[in-house]
Amino acid sequence: IYILSHLNLLIFIFIFLFSGLIPTLSKFPGLEWLAALDFSSMIGKFGTELVGGGKAAGARRSSMEALVLFPTIMLALGFIEIFEYYGALGAAQKIFQPLFRPLMGIPGVAGLAFVASLNSSDVGSVMTRQLRAEGELTEKERTVFVAYQYAGSATITNTLGAGSALIPISLLAPGVIIGIQILAKIIGDNVVRLILNFTEKKENTQKQEG
């Protein structure tokens, strides 16, 4: 029981750090201190002025963008290694498996990458790559999962950040908007899943006939 509660706590901490929910919670009176625990706050704003005022383009702009991403990825990888060392990946497998397998066609072990992708598309992609390299995801499962991540990436961060100017005039609450986006992403995930299943079935039929 102690180990189970310990692992559940690890997953809760991971979700807390990477989900992008802390900035919203920190706006409530008395909870401002929570902002210090958010992953986006930890990486700060260093280097954003290097991108330029809109005129920088081509190799220079992409190089500066890559330079800005280094501290983000390095810090995220540090957190990921810590959580994996203490067994959070295995706990995620048990917690998310009953939901992810039927709903998205991916194993529960992708749960932490799923949470991370809500806040950072870069961290989500790095975790997905690691899962594939370690054999936790098949090529098909990775393709399906990437289809989910690619559309509307970093859903919470981009909606509350880049889309913040539209929230005051929106007819729906931010939580509802994010929920609709995630639902649309899951639908897109399953469209790709169906295409791959059809293609795989067709190839198997052709092999049997051949």
Side-chain angles (χ1 to χ4, degrees):
I1 297 176
Y2 170 76
I3 295 176
L4 182 61
S5 61
H6 173 67
L7 292 176
N8 288 339
L9 179 61
L10 278 176
I11 295 207
F12 174 76
I13 293 174
F14 185 93
I15 292 174
F16 208 56
L17 281 173
F18 287 96
S19 66
L21 296 173
I22 294 181
T24 301
L25 294 175
S26 64
K27 293 179 181 179
F28 290 94
L31 297 179
E32 294 85 355
W33 58 274
L34 286 175
L37 303 178
D38 180 53
F39 179 72
S40 298
S41 298
M42 291 181 185
I43 61 175
K45 299 296 184 182
F46 170 76
T48 53
E49 70 278 2
L50 294 177
V51 175
K55 295 183 179 181
R60 286 190 298 174
R61 182 183 179 93
S62 59
S63 297
M64 292 300 99
E65 289 280 9
L67 179 62
V68 171
L69 287 177
F70 280 139
T72 303
I73 301 301
M74 289 170 62
L75 179 60
L77 287 175
F79 277 123
I80 292 168
E81 289 298 322
I82 293 173
F83 283 107
E84 286 188 355
Y85 177 80
Y86 285 104
L89 207 60
Q93 171 79 24
K94 295 179 181 179
I95 293 174
F96 292 105
Q97 182 77 7
L99 178 65
F100 279 13
R101 180 57 74 185
L103 187 63
M104 300 177 64
I106 58 176
V109 73
L112 298 186
F114 175 89
V115 172
S117 69
L118 294 174
N119 187 34
S120 172
S121 56
D122 305 306
V123 177
S125 62
V126 168
M127 293 189 69
T128 303
R129 180 183 179 278
Q130 284 188 332
L131 290 173
R132 175 60 185 136
E134 295 169 1
E136 299 288 352
L137 293 176
T138 65
E139 185 66 27
K140 177 182 175 181
E141 289 168 344
R142 181 181 67 170
T143 302
V144 170
F145 192 27
V146 168
Y148 164 84
Q149 292 187 50
Y150 186 76
S153 61
T155 310
I156 293 179
T157 300
N158 287 331
T159 300
L160 300 180
S164 60
L166 300 176
I167 290 178
I169 61 175
S170 174
L171 299 178
L172 300 175
V176 177
I177 294 173
I178 292 172
I180 293 173
Q181 289 175 323
I182 293 176
L183 177 61
K185 284 160 66 70
I186 292 175
I187 292 174
D189 164 285
N190 280 280
V191 169
V192 172
R193 182 181 172 190
L194 287 172
I195 293 173
L196 292 177
N197 286 339
F198 175 77
T199 304
E200 186 177 33
K201 184 177 180 180
K202 184 177 180 180
E203 290 177 350
N204 291 335
T205 301
Q206 290 176 344
K207 289 179 180 178
Q208 291 176 358
E209 292 176 351

